[in-house]
Amino acid sequence: MKTIVRSLLHLFGIAALLTSLTLTAEGRKIRTKHSIPKKTEKDIAAVNAGQHPSISIDSDSIAFCDSIRPAIRFYGFDKTAGSNAESFFIANSLNEALNGLEIQITYTDMKGRQLHKRAVSIDTTIPSGETLRTDIRSWDTQKSFYYYKSARPKRQSTPFDVKIDLLSVTLDR
């Protein structure tokens, strides 16, 4: 009999707790803003000055494959075994400035087996006809790999190769 009474009291206690939680959740007001922001002053000034805002073009676009991909070149990759950064050059041969790009880097061992793959967004401006050296955080957090064309380390480390693919660009138009 005592166990039945305890069970009923326990059940009523849970019901009372749920009721109080429901009341507090219903009594709480949550405000959300659903308005669409108006053009920023920068966009308005650019249109008034005859400039066009930036546009983003991804690798699915036909224009991207025909004219943009060959005009942006990556070279000079470097990553030593003790480094937590990777660096490389980005050359812009387009007739307009790059305002940002997204790349995919595939890391392979010397037999061509994939070690890692990642997408990296680079938010920088590269004027037309110029080259920029960029540094990104390395995927190798243990500092046990090195790019095979970089300085050979004195300690035991594994060499790797990279392939950089352009995924999207942001251009001034």
Side-chain angles (χ1 to χ4, degrees):
M1 183 71 174
K2 286 183 178 180
T3 56
I4 293 173
V5 171
R6 283 185 186 160
S7 297
L8 286 174
L9 288 174
H10 183 67
L11 193 59
F12 286 128
I14 291 174
L17 178 64
L18 289 175
T19 304
S20 68
L21 289 175
T22 305
L23 291 176
T24 56
E26 288 175 1
R28 187 172 158 200
K29 291 183 180 179
I30 300 172
R31 291 184 179 239
T32 58
K33 187 176 180 179
H34 296 288
S35 64
I36 299 172
K38 296 178 181 179
K39 285 188 172 184
T40 62
E41 291 179 22
K42 183 179 177 183
D43 289 340
I44 293 169
V47 171
N48 290 341
Q51 300 173 351
H52 301 285
S54 296
I55 63 165
S56 184
I57 303 172
D58 62 15
S59 60
D60 294 336
S61 142
I62 294 172
F64 185 87
C65 296
D66 291 344
S67 63
I68 294 175
R69 181 172 278 143
I72 299 172
R73 194 169 64 100
F74 304 97
Y75 65 95
F77 190 91
D78 184 42
K79 195 277 184 199
T80 58
S83 177
N84 60 0
E86 301 168 12
S87 64
F88 53 92
F89 294 97
I90 305 170
N92 177 11
S93 299
L94 294 170
N95 291 331
E96 51 229 327
L98 284 175
N99 285 333
L101 49 118
E102 185 176 8
I103 59 173
Q104 179 173 289
I105 306 175
T106 305
Y107 303 87
T108 57
D109 67 8
M110 299 317 293
K111 292 183 180 179
R113 297 175 295 208
Q114 182 177 322
L115 298 169
H116 187 68
K117 181 188 271 191
R118 68 179 176 151
V120 177
S121 293
I122 300 171
D123 187 26
T124 188
T125 300
I126 307 172
S128 174
E130 293 190 15
T131 299
L132 175 84
R133 179 179 162 233
T134 189
D135 295 315
I136 59 173
R137 189 161 189 85
S138 179
W139 65 282
D140 177 24
T141 57
Q142 300 293 320
K143 299 179 182 177
S144 58
F145 291 88
Y146 70 98
Y147 181 59
Y148 80 102
K149 289 184 179 177
S150 296
R152 188 177 202 112
K154 293 178 183 177
R155 63 186 176 110
Q156 176 79 25
S157 298
T158 306
F160 69 89
D161 195 5
V162 294
K163 179 183 175 202
I164 301 176
D165 292 314
L166 185 61
L167 297 178
S168 68
V169 296
T170 304
L171 303 170
D172 278 336
R173 287 283 172 150

